[in-house]
Amino acid sequence: MIYQKATFLKSAALLNQLPEDAGIEVAFAGRSNAGKSSAINSITNIKRLAHASKTPGRTQLINLFSLDETRRIVDLPGYGYAQVPQEVKERWQKTLARYLTERECLKGLMLMMDIRRPLMPHDKEMLDWAVRCSLPVHILLTKADKLSRTKMLTTLRGVHDHFSSHAPLVSVQIFSIPLQLGIIEAREQLDKWFFGGDVVEE
Ligand code: GDP
């Protein structure tokens, strides 16, 4: 499994510090505390891989992980932190919007949302940017173990219906680390972006 080979590549504060816009990138995004780092760690099966992104000074950075010479996972800064000054928030929103809309090698966006609080305003904003530039989005409804099975499925259906007009550009699944739910499904989605369709080997 290629995801197990992920290694930290670099952090970037500005878009011009990113590696050359070539190969394939898949970005992970979500509100702070949505479970993004945990999802990256469980998908790669590397315990503390993305938590390295949480060390002081790195939380506001774009952190990149290499899978091989051409494929990268991009850990975008968590959004929605109340403590961050408005000015910093706005600067970051602009940087994120530019990354999502201008990055040629970006093939997909994994969007983590806590299943108990899906589709918060910033989540919708991310989705709008992605849809506007035809970037495929796959939503992980994280921490599904926090809800009963019935509520879990109702939320899944609700989020799915919300985006039915954008299918197949937007898809959604349930995810839970303690229940080991959805990890394989998430990897299959990544496989499609990294290896499926019109991949051109560099
Ligand atoms: P991030 O800020 O989005 O990177 O979120 P983290 O991955 O650090 O997770 C935030 C909190 O949610 C941590 O305390 C995790 O242990 C917890 N968490 C993450 N995934 C799950 C899950 O699937 N189930 C439960 N119950 N807790 C989770």
Side-chain angles (χ1 to χ4, degrees), residues 122-154:
H122 282 310
D123 298 326
K124 288 185 176 165
E125 218 168 276
M126 286 293 272
L127 277 157
D128 284 347
W129 282 328
V131 166
R132 236 178 285 146
C133 57
S134 300
L135 175 70
V137 183
H138 187 70
I139 299 169
L140 302 187
L141 295 174
T142 60
K143 312 186 195 181
D145 51 282
K146 297 280 191 186
L147 294 186
S148 68
R149 194 171 164 72
T150 312
K151 274 202 155 174
M152 192 194 282
L153 295 175
T154 313

Side-chain angles (χ1 to χ4, degrees), residues 30-39 51 54 112 142-146 175-178:
R31 286 172 59 79
S32 304
N33 214 37
K36 176 167 56 77
S37 309
S38 307
H51 281 102
K54 295 200 146 185
M112 264 66 26
T142 60
K143 312 186 195 181
D145 51 282
K146 297 280 191 186
F175 197 81
S176 164
I177 294 166

Side-chain angles (χ1 to χ4, degrees), residues 25-178:
E25 286 178 355
V26 173
F28 281 65
R31 286 172 59 79
S32 304
N33 214 37
K36 176 167 56 77
S37 309
S38 307
I40 294 176
N41 294 346
S42 66
I43 287 167
T44 56
N45 205 18
I46 305 176
K47 258 195 184 134
R48 299 200 50 78
L49 186 70
H51 281 102
S53 314
K54 295 200 146 185
T55 51
R58 279 206 193 150
T59 50
Q60 293 288 300
L61 301 175
I62 296 175
N63 292 293
L64 296 111
F65 303 96
S66 289
L67 299 174
D68 60 18
E69 279 178 14
T70 57
R71 298 176 178 89
R72 297 176 293 278
I73 283 177
V74 179
D75 184 4
L76 296 174
Y79 47 84
Y81 245 139
Q83 297 93 319
V84 177
Q86 189 61 26
E87 182 198 319
V88 176
K89 267 192 212 165
E90 281 170 16
R91 199 168 53 232
W92 262 109
Q93 272 163 331
K94 274 189 199 140
T95 305
L96 284 183
R98 272 194 57 209
Y99 174 77
L100 293 179
T101 52
E102 293 174 18
R103 190 81 170 157
E104 297 265 339
C105 65
L106 181 63
K107 291 290 179 276
L109 175 68
M110 281 285 205
L111 191 55
M112 264 66 26
M113 297 181 198
D114 188 319
I115 196 164
R116 295 166 296 178
R117 288 178 287 276
L119 299 175
M120 301 284 278
H122 282 310
D123 298 326
K124 288 185 176 165
E125 218 168 276
M126 286 293 272
L127 277 157
D128 284 347
W129 282 328
V131 166
R132 236 178 285 146
C133 57
S134 300
L135 175 70
V137 183
H138 187 70
I139 299 169
L140 302 187
L141 295 174
T142 60
K143 312 186 195 181
D145 51 282
K146 297 280 191 186
L147 294 186
S148 68
R149 194 171 164 72
T150 312
K151 274 202 155 174
M152 192 194 282
L153 295 175
T154 313
T155 309
L156 175 66
R157 204 169 315 124
V159 175
H160 184 268
D161 290 350
H162 191 91
F163 295 108
S164 52
S165 61
H166 296 301
L169 200 62
V170 182
S171 51
V172 56
Q173 67 156 92
I174 275 172
F175 197 81
S176 164
I177 294 166

